[in-house]
Amino acid sequence: MRKQMNTLKNKLEKQAIVNDRFIRQSMNRTADKISRRYRLVMALCIVMIPYTYLVFISNMALPLTFWIGTSILMLTCFGATMYNWLNVRNPHMMSSNLVEVSQKMANAKKFDVNWLYFGIPAAIIWLAWFTWELYQQGSEAAHYMMIGTICGAALGTFLGFSMHSKTQQQYQKIIDTIEEITADQQ
């Protein structure tokens, strides 16, 4: 009977180890999804600087100051995204102390929310400035560009908030999983 109990106990311990490893791999995959999204955003920020020069200066003849302002905004977005990406990208994060991982994820989640307090007003100011520059041109093509800008802003707002919501859910999933694991260990 003792031998059977020891065998059962060993099987349960192995099962717990496998479950723990599976849960950590799942958290790592979720963190990788967030990390990939941040890398994409950072790449777009960098690509937008020369692209906006070609479009705004070469093709649309907008003032150089507008392109400089746009470039500064893109570099600011790049820097903020990189700052948050550094909290998520550690490949050994899920094998380290789960309390520290949970704290990093909570900080990254909070920063992501707080970033909206800068990002939304900055986007509104940039869109207003862009619309003003187009209005100053006074051409029919500029009028259609303003309409396109408004439609693009509406679509971008929808996509941005859905991406933000999905990222927040992924952060929360990791935090909840860690809380569940640490509660089981106590």
Side-chain angles (χ1 to χ4, degrees), residues 11-64:
K11 284 183 179 182
L12 288 175
E13 286 176 2
K14 288 179 182 177
Q15 181 73 26
I17 291 170
V18 169
N19 284 342
D20 184 58
R21 190 177 316 136
F22 177 73
I23 290 169
R24 285 176 182 265
Q25 287 174 347
S26 175
M27 288 188 305
N28 206 16
R29 279 193 299 272
T30 304
D32 283 345
K33 288 177 187 176
I34 296 169
S35 182
R36 277 194 304 270
R37 190 172 303 124
Y38 284 159
R39 285 192 309 262
L40 175 66
V41 169
M42 288 187 297
L44 286 173
C45 288
I46 296 300
V47 167
M48 288 304 289
I49 293 171
Y51 177 75
T52 55
Y53 182 83
L54 291 172
V55 172
F56 295 155
I57 304 299
S58 300
N59 293 343
M60 297 175 65
L62 293 178
L64 184 62

Side-chain angles (χ1 to χ4, degrees), residues 32 36 55 72 82-83 86 91 93-94 115 121 123 170 172:
D32 283 345
R36 277 194 304 270
V55 172
I72 291 170
M82 178 175 266
Y83 172 79
L86 292 174
M93 180 172 53
M94 294 306 164
W115 172 248
Q170 289 171 330
Q172 193 61 47

